[in-house]
Amino acid sequence: MTASNYKKVFKQLKSKPVKLKKFIKHNAPKQRSCGKNLKICSRCGRRGAHIDKYGLNLCRQCFREIATKIGFKKYS
Ligand SMILES: [Zn+2]
């Protein structure tokens, strides 16, 4: 099983619906109500260094790359 995304195994289990059901029951990620794991960068999927301000939903690395394109200006 790949650890990065549990949905990758669905393709393999499509022909076995009962096993697929069981797999989903025991391997689906826990639904979280709070915490830093909920905030994911909309551009690259990173979870750290999240910028929520102004509804950006980007990580700092992506923000740095596209800041000038979306109208931010560096003053220093
Ligand atoms: Zn990002």
Side-chain angles (χ1 to χ4, degrees), residues 41 44 59 62:
C41 175
C44 69
C59 66
C62 287

Side-chain angles (χ1 to χ4, degrees), residues 41-46 58-63:
C41 175
S42 57
R43 194 160 169 256
C44 69
R46 260 194 202 105
L58 295 168
C59 66
R60 66 171 183 86
Q61 288 90 346
C62 287
F63 177 72

Side-chain angles (χ1 to χ4, degrees), residues 1 6-7 10-11 13 17-19 22-23 28-30 32 36 38 40 43 46 48 58 62-63 65 67-68 71 73:
M1 192 180 112
Y6 85 109
K7 288 181 179 177
F10 287 6
K11 201 174 172 184
L13 290 172
V18 178
K19 287 214 169 187
K22 194 177 171 184
F23 180 83
K30 186 179 171 184
R32 296 182 188 276
K36 68 175 185 180
L38 274 181
I40 298 168
R43 194 160 169 256
R46 260 194 202 105
L58 295 168
C62 287
F63 177 72
E65 284 170 19
T68 51
K73 199 175 171 186

